[in-house]
Amino acid sequence: MTGIGLWRAGDSGPTRLDIATSVPERQLEDWIEQDPRLLEQGLTIVARQLRTAGGPLDLLGLDAQGRWVLVEIKRDRLRREVLAQAVDYASCLAAMEPEDLFEQCD
């Protein structure tokens, strides 16, 4: 099945990387934290591994319009459980007191 993949750009053109040769989630997290434009222009990462009642959120950012952006990195196929996890994180963030959220982002 074809789908979204990880590619390496080279002189001879793009080459699709196998899952076994792709980078670990932690490395992807590092790259996005260092250069959030990989995901979206104007994105600013404000927290990494943010503790929520639903578990640790990989990255939390603010977009150019000041809206929260939740980033959960998965190397494999996107499954229903992952979508449910993201909804759970969003719900947990919405339930947090603003002061607690700001404190964790500092």
Side-chain angles (χ1 to χ4, degrees):
M1 178 172 104
T2 61
I4 296 174
L6 190 58
W7 298 80
R8 175 174 296 157
D11 294 334
S12 60
T15 305
R16 186 180 184 108
L17 299 177
D18 295 326
I19 289 291
T21 61
S22 64
V23 296
E25 287 179 20
R26 186 143 221 37
Q27 182 67 51
L28 292 171
E29 225 177 276
D30 290 341
W31 290 344
I32 293 167
E33 183 178 32
Q34 292 167 12
D35 188 3
R37 293 173 302 162
L38 291 167
L39 296 181
E40 182 181 339
Q41 190 69 27
L43 180 64
T44 301
I45 301 299
V46 297
R48 181 171 180 173
Q49 293 299 314
L50 180 78
R51 288 169 295 158
T52 72
L57 172 63
D58 289 343
L59 298 167
L60 179 65
L62 286 170
D63 70 7
Q65 289 76 38
R67 297 175 295 204
W68 292 112
V69 177
L70 286 74
V71 179
E72 182 62 25
I73 299 170
K74 298 296 182 204
R75 286 180 9 158
D76 207 355
R77 289 187 53 208
L78 184 61
R79 291 184 163 61
R80 289 179 197 233
E81 298 83 33
V82 175
L83 292 175
Q85 183 181 24
V87 170
D88 189 36
Y89 289 154
S91 175
C92 291
L93 287 174
M96 286 179 78
E97 292 295 326
E99 298 79 24
D100 294 338
L101 181 56
F102 294 138
E103 183 178 308
Q104 285 197 47
C105 291
D106 280 344

